[in-house]
Amino acid sequence: MQITVGHRIDGKENSVEGERFAEIYNPATGEVSRRVALASAATVDVAVEAAAAAFPAWRDTSLARRTQVLFAFRQLLDARKTELAAIITDEHGKVFTDALGEITRGQEVVEFACGISHLLKGSMSENASTKVDVTSIRQPLGPVAIISPFNFPAMVPMWFFPIAIAAGNTVILKPSEKDPSAANWIADLWAEAGLPPGVFNVVHGDKVAVDRLLDHPDVKAVSFVGSTPIARYVYQRAAINGKRAQALGGAKNHMVVLPDADLDLAADAAVNAGYGSAGERCMAISVLVAVGDIADELVERIRARAVTLRTGNGREDVDMGPLVTEQHRDRVASYIDAGEEGGATVVLDGRTVTPYGDPEGFWLGPTLLDNVTTEMPVYTDEIFGPVLSVVRVDSYAEALEMINTNQYGNGAAIFTNDGGAARRFQNEAEVGMVGINVPVPVPVSYHSFGGWKNSLFGDTHAHGTEGVHFFTRAKAVTTRWLDPSHRGLDLGFPQNN
């Protein structure tokens, strides 16, 4: 009998009777491995009701107790993360070591949340007026929803839920239906760590579940990561319903290489950032901008490195795994077709890769396209696959203009040994995250993650201080303990003196 991945609601597995189902594939074999329940609106309501019922007690649980649960979760995750990595590899396809790295980066946010007491302590002004004290405090919102993508089934949810839970909120997580099992494993780990039932819930589903979370009046905020069109939709629908939303969208990340750069370092970085996780990263480098007369040499150095990469089953000794679904693999390959037809030079063709694994897997090898122009779809669109496009320009100014006129503003990197050029770039590049000789500038957990322009809808980035502010709201309390001197009537506007 086929294994069914069900929901985790109120600390237990919820019935999936009457639900619709979707198939889950092992991308390395092309085989259906199990099925996942797709929540109806009624099932989402059950999860929200559980989160709403659990909220008052969790909100009023002491910070000391809440952080003790966070510490316990962190310890369990650290001890058993190889189990989670194996689940991710089997359902997403990424190489096992890459899955471990994803979990480790998510764990950094858990560790940040363990110290959230400092960021929730508020402030006080004694005698702001005569015998009047004013206190500012931050309080949790209530039930919040997290809608996460397929490419990081552990790390992206961990950008949000550790902070939400530590701050006193309750959570409903809706993971991608393509690789949903990691979310259930995490829910079980929370229960083992001592988190009360209803504080962390998982509902699986598609647009039906997403829309109900966006419409439900008891859901106070929504965190979303995915493509730009859906991010815009989530943000707008959440706003119409009076909810807070941080909706992180797509990207087209550029890596500028100046003529003075170390070309070996730049070539290594381009391969690592372009083909890691099969390019299924919102911070992947998909455009390399070669400035001046270095392009021929740089392209050859990248090609020489990329051709050595082994594409295969992520459980084996390989460098890059398959793409998540057959449909996605075919979509990415179609961009290579269009680039070639449009005049780009196919330096390395991933469509012809010979995989180290089952030939029925969803394979596409590292692909390198040269002489790409900014009018080609392979440049304009977010491809989300192992395709690195090289655009040749004559100057730094031309490279900067390309970045700043692009609709996306997630991240950009520059490779140079010129400190002045690097300092100018970090000031002038219109993106949310900048790397200087760092190809994937994802900040550490106590700084915040997020882009500009069509890469982010909403004004709050993920994790760090901004994440704490997103999952809490400020309250100012003005206090005066009355004594006989305060008696009498005065209808004038209160004055501080």
Side-chain angles (χ1 to χ4, degrees):
M1 184 176 178
Q2 193 177 54
I3 297 174
T4 297
V5 178
H7 317 294
R8 292 286 194 277
I9 299 174
D10 205 19
K12 55 186 179 294
E13 187 164 356
N14 196 67
S15 171
V16 295
E17 184 177 350
E19 301 276 46
R20 297 169 296 121
F21 298 93
E23 293 178 327
I24 304 170
Y25 289 85
N26 182 333
T29 65
E31 297 176 341
V32 175
S33 60
R34 58 193 67 194
R35 67 176 188 169
V36 60
L38 302 177
S40 63
T43 299
V44 173
D45 287 350
V46 172
V48 176
E49 288 166 9
F55 172 64
W58 183 244
R59 174 197 59 201
D60 294 337
T61 299
S62 70
L63 266 174
R65 174 57 187 153
R66 294 206 302 258
T67 53
Q68 285 171 5
V69 175
L70 264 290
F71 272 107
F73 179 81
R74 186 266 175 201
Q75 292 299 103
L76 289 168
L77 179 63
D78 191 55
R80 294 171 51 189
K81 59 187 174 184
T82 56
E83 298 175 26
L84 182 57
I87 292 170
I88 294 170
T89 294
D90 288 344
E91 288 190 354
H92 174 273
K94 66 177 62 178
V95 175
F96 182 77
T97 54
D98 191 26
L100 276 176
E102 165 187 346
I103 297 164
T104 299
R105 289 307 301 266
Q107 185 175 313
E108 291 177 7
V109 182
V110 178
E111 292 165 354
F112 169 77
C114 288
I116 201 171
S117 302
H118 173 70
L119 296 173
L120 294 178
K121 65 184 181 183
S123 60
M124 177 182 178
S125 295
E126 186 179 24
N127 275 331
S129 185
T130 303
K131 296 184 179 181
V132 174
D133 303 329
V134 179
T135 303
S136 294
I137 59 178
R138 301 202 69 87
Q139 295 184 318
L141 306 176
V144 298
I146 299 167
I147 303 167
S148 63
F150 72 83
N151 60 323
F152 288 103
M155 184 185 74
V156 167
M158 281 195 275
W159 283 351
F160 305 107
F161 67 66
I163 296 172
I165 290 172
N169 301 282
T170 54
V171 170
I172 306 101
L173 170 62
K174 205 298 286 183
S176 170
E177 64 274 21
K178 295 181 177 67
D179 46 10
S181 297
N184 284 16
W185 188 93
I186 290 169
D188 293 342
L189 202 71
W190 271 121
E192 189 174 342
L195 192 70
V199 177
F200 184 82
N201 308 276
V202 178
V203 290
H204 301 287
D206 51 13
K207 188 176 184 297
V208 172
V210 170
D211 285 349
R212 185 54 185 155
L213 287 170
L214 295 174
D215 294 342
H216 199 293
D218 288 341
V219 175
K220 304 304 181 184
V222 179
S223 298
F224 171 86
V225 179
S227 70
T228 287
I230 303 177
R232 183 184 289 110
Y233 170 84
V234 166
Y235 177 73
Q236 292 175 343
R237 189 156 180 163
I240 288 171
N241 287 306
K243 304 182 193 303
R244 289 187 179 186
Q246 47 181 183
L248 283 66
K252 198 70 181 181
N253 304 312
H254 298 69
M255 174 176 153
V256 177
V257 183
L258 297 186
D260 69 295
D262 182 324
L263 295 189
D264 283 322
L265 176 65
D268 287 342
V271 171
N272 294 338
Y275 304 128
S277 197
E280 293 175 325
R281 294 173 176 166
C282 67
M283 288 300 290
I285 291 297
S286 54
V287 180
L288 187 142
V289 186
V291 179
D293 59 2
I294 62 171
D296 288 343
E297 185 177 357
L298 182 57
V299 167
E300 174 52 30
R301 294 191 190 200
I302 294 172
R303 186 207 64 79
R305 287 161 169 78
V307 77
T308 67
L309 298 180
R310 293 163 55 95
T311 302
N313 190 320
R315 291 278 199 145
E316 307 299 331
D317 182 20
V318 296
D319 302 293
M320 198 180 83
L323 297 189
V324 68
T325 64
E326 183 179 20
Q327 293 77 12
H328 184 55
R329 187 269 315 276
D330 293 345
R331 174 183 174 274
V332 175
S334 73
Y335 278 100
I336 304 172
D337 298 339
E340 185 175 26
E341 293 168 4
T345 304
V346 182
V347 179
L348 184 62
D349 193 344
R351 295 169 296 185
T352 61
V353 68
T354 301
Y356 293 86
D358 192 311
E360 298 302 315
F362 308 140
W363 309 113
L364 186 71
T367 298
L368 180 61
L369 301 180
D370 193 7
N371 299 303
V372 172
T373 66
T374 56
E375 295 79 25
M376 295 178 180
V378 72
Y379 172 81
T380 59
D381 297 355
E382 183 183 33
I383 297 175
F384 226 58
V387 180
L388 181 60
S389 298
V390 178
V391 181
R392 299 176 179 229
V393 299
D394 295 326
S395 66
Y396 165 88
E398 191 177 348
L400 182 70
E401 183 182 10
M402 185 184 306
I403 293 169
N404 289 351
T405 56
N406 194 277
Q407 67 163 317
Y408 299 112
N410 218 33
I414 188 168
F415 276 69
T416 180
N417 286 314
D418 184 337
R423 192 174 188 278
R424 180 180 174 187
F425 184 79
Q426 75 178 39
N427 179 55
E428 296 177 338
E430 295 179 4
V431 297
M433 294 167 282
V434 171
I436 298 173
N437 297 322
V438 174
V440 184
V442 176
V444 293
S445 62
Y446 42 90
H447 288 268
S448 296
F449 177 102
W452 291 5
K453 298 185 283 189
N454 283 340
S455 292
L456 176 72
F457 299 90
D459 58 1
T460 308
H461 290 187
H463 59 71
T465 303
E466 289 193 41
V468 175
H469 286 178
F470 179 78
F471 286 115
T472 58
R473 52 187 171 182
K475 179 182 288 185
V477 180
T478 303
T479 303
R480 179 177 68 180
W481 296 106
L482 298 177
D483 60 46
S485 67
H486 296 128
R487 292 174 181 163
L489 301 177
D490 184 354
L491 303 189
F493 195 85
Q495 299 181 37
N496 297 325
N497 49 51

